Amino acid sequence: GPLSPGITGVAVWKPEMISNLSLALDYYDVTVKDAVNTPDPVDVINNCYLSPNLSAPECARIGRGASGTVVRFDLLNENLARIDTSGIDVNARYTLPVEYGEFHFDGNVNWLRQYKETTDAGVVSTGDVAGAISDWSGYPKWRSTLAVVFNRNNWSIGGTWRYLDSMKVYDAVGLGSLNDSVPAFHYFDMYGTYRYQDLFEVTVGANNLTNKEPPYVPDTANNTSLIYDYLGRFYYARFKLTFD
């Protein structure tokens, strides 16, 4: 959806005393209008049946047959109105030449101050979910990645550390004490690449090397959240061919 005027600011610093190092800091405070998403079924039901005489706009999403049974429940992708989010992104990049090649370090850290969705009816559907997780997504207060790559001639080998902060479970269903939080998560990935001139490139790698299982998030159909690597350890190979 379109972005409304917000506050953003970027600062980039390349210290002269440390060559090949750059630091960037980005503060954002953004509103997205007409954001595309699907309505949350629990919010639709609650907003409808808790309204006087079933007068809420969400009631139009629920259709009943002659016997009173539900025959229609409209939860399609729609322009749901507005997303308000703010936070800080920090990026650091450093290149270290060595005798047999060079190392590249690339680190990113995000601090999420706020994430709030408002429906087209003006109802705050999720509240501020920064630091919370649900079936559709997770909004960790802190998340980061650190990539380290070593290059030598036509070869590269790299690894990535991914971090997701601990979060409170957004208990929309009201399951209570089944599981009210998830711990912090660490993922480790590795890959290797060979390039032959400008003709082709071959990459093999593995994600989630430690085969870490996702946590239990109780308000989901598949017992976890899509923010996690729910496939476990994952191997892949990629071949890239370049034509002039």
Side-chain angles (χ1 to χ4, degrees), residues 160-208:
T160 302
W161 164 62
R162 295 177 283 142
Y163 172 77
L164 298 172
D165 199 11
S166 59
M167 289 175 276
K168 295 292 185 181
V169 172
Y170 182 70
D171 189 9
V173 180
L175 295 176
S177 61
L178 278 178
N179 190 22
D180 60 359
S181 64
V182 294
F185 259 62
H186 303 264
Y187 289 112
F188 299 94
D189 312 323
M190 181 169 285
Y191 73 91
T193 298
Y194 173 73
R195 294 172 292 275
Y196 181 73
Q197 298 179 359
D198 294 327
L199 296 179
F200 68 85
E201 179 178 295
V202 179
T203 301
V204 294
N207 291 348
N208 190 5

Side-chain angles (χ1 to χ4, degrees), residues 13-142:
W13 180 44
K14 294 184 178 181
E16 295 182 358
M17 69 286 295
I18 306 177
S19 60
N20 302 323
L21 173 66
S22 66
L23 300 171
L25 185 147
D26 179 16
Y27 172 77
Y28 60 92
D29 189 343
V30 178
T31 296
V32 181
K33 294 182 178 179
D34 299 327
V36 176
N37 204 343
T38 57
D40 181 77
V42 175
D43 290 331
V44 170
I45 294 172
N46 287 340
N47 292 334
C48 173
Y49 289 100
L50 295 179
S51 63
N53 300 317
L54 304 181
S55 58
E58 283 82 359
C59 294
R61 301 182 184 275
I62 306 171
R64 293 183 177 274
S67 63
T69 59
V70 175
V71 296
R72 178 176 55 81
F73 197 12
D74 297 333
L75 299 174
L76 305 176
N77 282 324
E78 303 173 22
N79 297 105
L80 292 181
R82 197 176 75 188
I83 294 176
D84 296 287
T85 184
S86 61
I88 295 176
D89 286 319
V90 179
N91 173 258
R93 295 182 178 180
Y94 179 59
T95 300
L96 176 64
V98 294
E99 182 178 358
Y100 298 107
E102 61 182 16
F103 286 95
H104 291 278
F105 302 87
D106 191 342
N108 294 277
V109 178
N110 171 254
W111 173 63
L112 183 63
R113 175 179 174 268
Q114 174 189 246
Y115 189 96
K116 182 173 65 176
E117 296 181 7
T118 306
T119 69
D120 53 0
V123 177
V124 178
S125 60
T126 61
D128 183 5
V129 293
I133 189 171
S134 65
D135 56 344
W136 61 89
S137 190
Y139 307 90
K141 283 278 191 179
W142 294 94

